[in-house]
Amino acid sequence: MKSFSFRRLLLFLSVIGPGIITSNVDNDAGGITTYSIAGATYGYTLLWTLIPMIIALVVIQEMNTRMGAVTGKGLADLIRERFGVKITFFAMLALLLGNLGNTISEFAGVAASMELFGASKYISVPLSALLVWWLVVRGTYKMVERIFLVACAIYFSYVASGLMAHPPWGEVMRELVVPHVNFSANYITVLVGVIGTTIAPWMQFYIQSAVVEKGITVKDYIFTKLDVIVGSFMVNFIAMFIMVACAATIHVRGIKIETVKEAALALAPLAGDWASWLFALGLLNASLFSASILPLATAYFVCEAFGIEAGIDKSWEEAPVFYWFYTIIIVIGAGVILIPNISLILIMFWSQVINGVMLPFVLIFMLILINNQDIMGEYVNSTIKNIITWTIVTIMIILTLMMVFTSLFQT
């Protein structure tokens, strides 16, 4: 029994990565900003959203990993085969534009976090861009994945910041299970933003590509499913501590913040310098992590969509388009941040809108594909799974449309 359990543990450790990495990238600079503002503005009253978000993330990403394990193909590849090149082209173009805007915002996060440590963006951003480029271009999939898993562990700096804030844990636990709904326009905007950061279009493409490149098959799938569950729990666990840290310090004193940089600065006199530095470290880690993954996800889905060789384990000669796409997106993302007095508001706004518009289409593509017996065989969704999934997808579509509408309305 012991040897059997140990063997299962080794199998799990051999396949973990795609679920944990993809989920944690969701806590990027934009996500951390959203959670910080939610905690600073509304205290603990938005914590109840985290449990439904865990469920939604598990259900959606389980479908991607199952499709990857069964078919051995990425999501973009399956969309092209099922829906044709024309639809695939326009979908990929929209996703490319959205991801480019998101990548720019990640390098903005690098600049903001390093400024908290006294480093100029003209030094930190080029060095960071070179680092993430070198990591993927010169590394193997196994090496890159290990580094990404270490980056996931650094997110626990937010747990330390939250503990240093000494929140009232009884109230925190109560707010996790008791929904609060405030119908003011600002509350709805923050609510939709918190929920809307959970599932992004690029995530579905990346996790399926990662499963394929890692060589995970149906026989290993049960462990990959556990990887998804662990990742979905972890990302929301970290989000809880970000909200708690800001609620226990900034909110109780009525301080208004608009950026995660302001949140980190505000923590210093309220919870101590260590809490502030750990918060800034978390932002730097998240920004670097996402600045690596987003261009990588983009290169994956663009190449897969048009049948072009892609993969970290391939050389530049074997997959030149894949590596050139990755390089160009990093250069543009970092280069825009170096433009003096550049305003990122419109870039970040339109990337959010594009992602919001694309998400319903991506989720519907996924549901059509996973219920196609020619593609999935016996691994199609059951009736119960379809009912649950369509309910979650419908809710996500409504919330996404609300997010787009409130963003347009506020602008």
PDB file of all heavy atoms in Angstrom, residues 25-45:
ATOM      1  N   VAL A  25      -0.770  32.521 -13.061  1.00  0.00           N
ATOM      2  CA  VAL A  25      -0.518  33.671 -13.938  1.00  0.00           C
ATOM      3  C   VAL A  25      -1.726  34.611 -13.936  1.00  0.00           C
ATOM      4  O   VAL A  25      -1.609  35.799 -14.206  1.00  0.00           O
ATOM      5  CB  VAL A  25      -0.202  33.214 -15.379  1.00  0.00           C
ATOM      6  CG1 VAL A  25       0.014  34.408 -16.303  1.00  0.00           C
ATOM      7  CG2 VAL A  25       1.048  32.367 -15.388  1.00  0.00           C
ATOM      8  N   ASP A  26      -2.895  34.052 -13.602  1.00  0.00           N
ATOM      9  CA  ASP A  26      -4.105  34.867 -13.520  1.00  0.00           C
ATOM     10  C   ASP A  26      -3.954  35.972 -12.490  1.00  0.00           C
ATOM     11  O   ASP A  26      -4.580  37.029 -12.600  1.00  0.00           O
ATOM     12  CB  ASP A  26      -5.292  33.958 -13.170  1.00  0.00           C
ATOM     13  CG  ASP A  26      -6.617  34.577 -13.556  1.00  0.00           C
ATOM     14  OD1 ASP A  26      -6.651  35.304 -14.561  1.00  0.00           O
ATOM     15  OD2 ASP A  26      -7.619  34.339 -12.853  1.00  0.00           O
ATOM     16  N   ASN A  27      -3.138  35.747 -11.458  1.00  0.00           N
ATOM     17  CA  ASN A  27      -2.837  36.793 -10.485  1.00  0.00           C
ATOM     18  C   ASN A  27      -1.684  37.641 -11.012  1.00  0.00           C
ATOM     19  O   ASN A  27      -0.592  37.684 -10.449  1.00  0.00           O
ATOM     20  CB  ASN A  27      -2.477  36.189  -9.128  1.00  0.00           C
ATOM     21  CG  ASN A  27      -3.696  35.836  -8.315  1.00  0.00           C
ATOM     22  OD1 ASN A  27      -4.805  36.271  -8.627  1.00  0.00           O
ATOM     23  ND2 ASN A  27      -3.512  35.047  -7.271  1.00  0.00           N
ATOM     24  N   ASP A  28      -1.943  38.324 -12.130  1.00  0.00           N
ATOM     25  CA  ASP A  28      -0.921  39.189 -12.726  1.00  0.00           C
ATOM     26  C   ASP A  28      -1.060  40.591 -12.152  1.00  0.00           C
ATOM     27  O   ASP A  28      -1.784  40.809 -11.173  1.00  0.00           O
ATOM     28  CB  ASP A  28      -1.040  39.186 -14.247  1.00  0.00           C
ATOM     29  CG  ASP A  28      -2.398  39.698 -14.730  1.00  0.00           C
ATOM     30  OD1 ASP A  28      -3.276  40.000 -13.886  1.00  0.00           O
ATOM     31  OD2 ASP A  28      -2.592  39.788 -15.954  1.00  0.00           O
ATOM     32  N   ALA A  29      -0.368  41.555 -12.760  1.00  0.00           N
ATOM     33  CA  ALA A  29      -0.401  42.929 -12.246  1.00  0.00           C
ATOM     34  C   ALA A  29      -1.827  43.472 -12.202  1.00  0.00           C
ATOM     35  O   ALA A  29      -2.230  44.113 -11.225  1.00  0.00           O
ATOM     36  CB  ALA A  29       0.485  43.828 -13.114  1.00  0.00           C
ATOM     37  N   GLY A  30      -2.610  43.195 -13.248  1.00  0.00           N
ATOM     38  CA  GLY A  30      -3.991  43.658 -13.285  1.00  0.00           C
ATOM     39  C   GLY A  30      -4.851  42.981 -12.235  1.00  0.00           C
ATOM     40  O   GLY A  30      -5.682  43.629 -11.574  1.00  0.00           O
ATOM     41  N   GLY A  31      -4.665  41.671 -12.058  1.00  0.00           N
ATOM     42  CA  GLY A  31      -5.430  40.942 -11.057  1.00  0.00           C
ATOM     43  C   GLY A  31      -5.113  41.405  -9.647  1.00  0.00           C
ATOM     44  O   GLY A  31      -6.014  41.602  -8.820  1.00  0.00           O
ATOM     45  N   ILE A  32      -3.826  41.592  -9.351  1.00  0.00           N
ATOM     46  CA  ILE A  32      -3.414  42.049  -8.023  1.00  0.00           C
ATOM     47  C   ILE A  32      -3.961  43.445  -7.744  1.00  0.00           C
ATOM     48  O   ILE A  32      -4.410  43.751  -6.641  1.00  0.00           O
ATOM     49  CB  ILE A  32      -1.881  42.026  -7.901  1.00  0.00           C
ATOM     50  CG1 ILE A  32      -1.394  40.576  -7.936  1.00  0.00           C
ATOM     51  CG2 ILE A  32      -1.422  42.699  -6.620  1.00  0.00           C
ATOM     52  CD1 ILE A  32       0.099  40.424  -8.074  1.00  0.00           C
ATOM     53  N   THR A  33      -3.947  44.304  -8.770  1.00  0.00           N
ATOM     54  CA  THR A  33      -4.517  45.646  -8.622  1.00  0.00           C
ATOM     55  C   THR A  33      -6.000  45.565  -8.291  1.00  0.00           C
ATOM     56  O   THR A  33      -6.495  46.262  -7.388  1.00  0.00           O
ATOM     57  CB  THR A  33      -4.323  46.462  -9.918  1.00  0.00           C
ATOM     58  OG1 THR A  33      -2.923  46.597 -10.184  1.00  0.00           O
ATOM     59  CG2 THR A  33      -4.947  47.848  -9.796  1.00  0.00           C
ATOM     60  N   THR A  34      -6.725  44.701  -9.006  1.00  0.00           N
ATOM     61  CA  THR A  34      -8.167  44.550  -8.779  1.00  0.00           C
ATOM     62  C   THR A  34      -8.450  44.078  -7.360  1.00  0.00           C
ATOM     63  O   THR A  34      -9.315  44.619  -6.671  1.00  0.00           O
ATOM     64  CB  THR A  34      -8.759  43.546  -9.789  1.00  0.00           C
ATOM     65  OG1 THR A  34      -8.509  44.016 -11.112  1.00  0.00           O
ATOM     66  CG2 THR A  34     -10.258  43.407  -9.591  1.00  0.00           C
ATOM     67  N   TYR A  35      -7.722  43.041  -6.897  1.00  0.00           N
ATOM     68  CA  TYR A  35      -7.937  42.531  -5.549  1.00  0.00           C
ATOM     69  C   TYR A  35      -7.564  43.569  -4.490  1.00  0.00           C
ATOM     70  O   TYR A  35      -8.221  43.678  -3.450  1.00  0.00           O
ATOM     71  CB  TYR A  35      -7.115  41.255  -5.326  1.00  0.00           C
ATOM     72  CG  TYR A  35      -7.508  40.108  -6.217  1.00  0.00           C
ATOM     73  CD1 TYR A  35      -6.553  39.352  -6.892  1.00  0.00           C
ATOM     74  CD2 TYR A  35      -8.846  39.769  -6.406  1.00  0.00           C
ATOM     75  CE1 TYR A  35      -6.913  38.296  -7.708  1.00  0.00           C
ATOM     76  CE2 TYR A  35      -9.212  38.716  -7.232  1.00  0.00           C
ATOM     77  CZ  TYR A  35      -8.238  37.981  -7.879  1.00  0.00           C
ATOM     78  OH  TYR A  35      -8.605  36.939  -8.695  1.00  0.00           O
ATOM     79  N   SER A  36      -6.496  44.317  -4.745  1.00  0.00           N
ATOM     80  CA  SER A  36      -6.064  45.347  -3.791  1.00  0.00           C
ATOM     81  C   SER A  36      -7.130  46.430  -3.648  1.00  0.00           C
ATOM     82  O   SER A  36      -7.471  46.851  -2.528  1.00  0.00           O
ATOM     83  CB  SER A  36      -4.741  45.974  -4.246  1.00  0.00           C
ATOM     84  OG  SER A  36      -3.715  45.014  -4.322  1.00  0.00           O
ATOM     85  N   ILE A  37      -7.655  46.882  -4.780  1.00  0.00           N
ATOM     86  CA  ILE A  37      -8.698  47.915  -4.755  1.00  0.00           C
ATOM     87  C   ILE A  37      -9.963  47.377  -4.092  1.00  0.00           C
ATOM     88  O   ILE A  37     -10.626  48.083  -3.317  1.00  0.00           O
ATOM     89  CB  ILE A  37      -8.991  48.415  -6.184  1.00  0.00           C
ATOM     90  CG1 ILE A  37      -7.783  49.200  -6.719  1.00  0.00           C
ATOM     91  CG2 ILE A  37     -10.261  49.278  -6.217  1.00  0.00           C
ATOM     92  CD1 ILE A  37      -7.898  49.590  -8.178  1.00  0.00           C
ATOM     93  N   ALA A  38     -10.298  46.106  -4.378  1.00  0.00           N
ATOM     94  CA  ALA A  38     -11.489  45.499  -3.767  1.00  0.00           C
ATOM     95  C   ALA A  38     -11.367  45.479  -2.249  1.00  0.00           C
ATOM     96  O   ALA A  38     -12.307  45.858  -1.526  1.00  0.00           O
ATOM     97  CB  ALA A  38     -11.683  44.080  -4.297  1.00  0.00           C
ATOM     98  N   GLY A  39     -10.218  45.047  -1.735  1.00  0.00           N
ATOM     99  CA  GLY A  39     -10.030  45.001  -0.286  1.00  0.00           C
ATOM    100  C   GLY A  39      -9.955  46.381   0.336  1.00  0.00           C
ATOM    101  O   GLY A  39     -10.525  46.616   1.407  1.00  0.00           O
ATOM    102  N   ALA A  40      -9.253  47.302  -0.338  1.00  0.00           N
ATOM    103  CA  ALA A  40      -9.105  48.658   0.205  1.00  0.00           C
ATOM    104  C   ALA A  40     -10.417  49.430   0.189  1.00  0.00           C
ATOM    105  O   ALA A  40     -10.677  50.249   1.069  1.00  0.00           O
ATOM    106  CB  ALA A  40      -8.044  49.415  -0.604  1.00  0.00           C
ATOM    107  N   THR A  41     -11.265  49.172  -0.802  1.00  0.00           N
ATOM    108  CA  THR A  41     -12.506  49.927  -0.955  1.00  0.00           C
ATOM    109  C   THR A  41     -13.675  49.309  -0.196  1.00  0.00           C
ATOM    110  O   THR A  41     -14.454  50.019   0.453  1.00  0.00           O
ATOM    111  CB  THR A  41     -12.884  50.039  -2.451  1.00  0.00           C
ATOM    112  OG1 THR A  41     -11.766  50.565  -3.175  1.00  0.00           O
ATOM    113  CG2 THR A  41     -14.090  50.958  -2.637  1.00  0.00           C
ATOM    114  N   TYR A  42     -13.794  47.985  -0.253  1.00  0.00           N
ATOM    115  CA  TYR A  42     -14.971  47.323   0.332  1.00  0.00           C
ATOM    116  C   TYR A  42     -14.642  46.326   1.442  1.00  0.00           C
ATOM    117  O   TYR A  42     -15.496  45.537   1.834  1.00  0.00           O
ATOM    118  CB  TYR A  42     -15.764  46.630  -0.783  1.00  0.00           C
ATOM    119  CG  TYR A  42     -16.345  47.619  -1.765  1.00  0.00           C
ATOM    120  CD1 TYR A  42     -15.779  47.778  -3.028  1.00  0.00           C
ATOM    121  CD2 TYR A  42     -17.424  48.418  -1.426  1.00  0.00           C
ATOM    122  CE1 TYR A  42     -16.289  48.713  -3.930  1.00  0.00           C
ATOM    123  CE2 TYR A  42     -17.940  49.350  -2.307  1.00  0.00           C
ATOM    124  CZ  TYR A  42     -17.367  49.491  -3.563  1.00  0.00           C
ATOM    125  OH  TYR A  42     -17.876  50.420  -4.448  1.00  0.00           O
ATOM    126  N   GLY A  43     -13.435  46.385   1.939  1.00  0.00           N
ATOM    127  CA  GLY A  43     -13.090  45.537   3.066  1.00  0.00           C
ATOM    128  C   GLY A  43     -13.169  44.060   2.720  1.00  0.00           C
ATOM    129  O   GLY A  43     -12.665  43.609   1.696  1.00  0.00           O
ATOM    130  N   TYR A  44     -13.842  43.289   3.582  1.00  0.00           N
ATOM    131  CA  TYR A  44     -13.921  41.838   3.406  1.00  0.00           C
ATOM    132  C   TYR A  44     -15.175  41.399   2.641  1.00  0.00           C
ATOM    133  O   TYR A  44     -15.396  40.201   2.455  1.00  0.00           O
ATOM    134  CB  TYR A  44     -13.926  41.155   4.776  1.00  0.00           C
ATOM    135  CG  TYR A  44     -12.792  41.588   5.674  1.00  0.00           C
ATOM    136  CD1 TYR A  44     -13.030  42.430   6.765  1.00  0.00           C
ATOM    137  CD2 TYR A  44     -11.484  41.184   5.435  1.00  0.00           C
ATOM    138  CE1 TYR A  44     -11.996  42.856   7.586  1.00  0.00           C
ATOM    139  CE2 TYR A  44     -10.439  41.596   6.246  1.00  0.00           C
ATOM    140  CZ  TYR A  44     -10.703  42.441   7.324  1.00  0.00           C
ATOM    141  OH  TYR A  44      -9.675  42.857   8.135  1.00  0.00           O
ATOM    142  N   THR A  45     -15.994  42.352   2.215  1.00  0.00           N
ATOM    143  CA  THR A  45     -17.324  41.999   1.696  1.00  0.00           C
ATOM    144  C   THR A  45     -17.325  41.348   0.322  1.00  0.00           C
ATOM    145  O   THR A  45     -18.365  40.887  -0.135  1.00  0.00           O
ATOM    146  CB  THR A  45     -18.233  43.246   1.653  1.00  0.00           C
ATOM    147  OG1 THR A  45     -17.637  44.243   0.796  1.00  0.00           O
ATOM    148  CG2 THR A  45     -18.422  43.841   3.043  1.00  0.00           C
TER     149      THR A  45
END
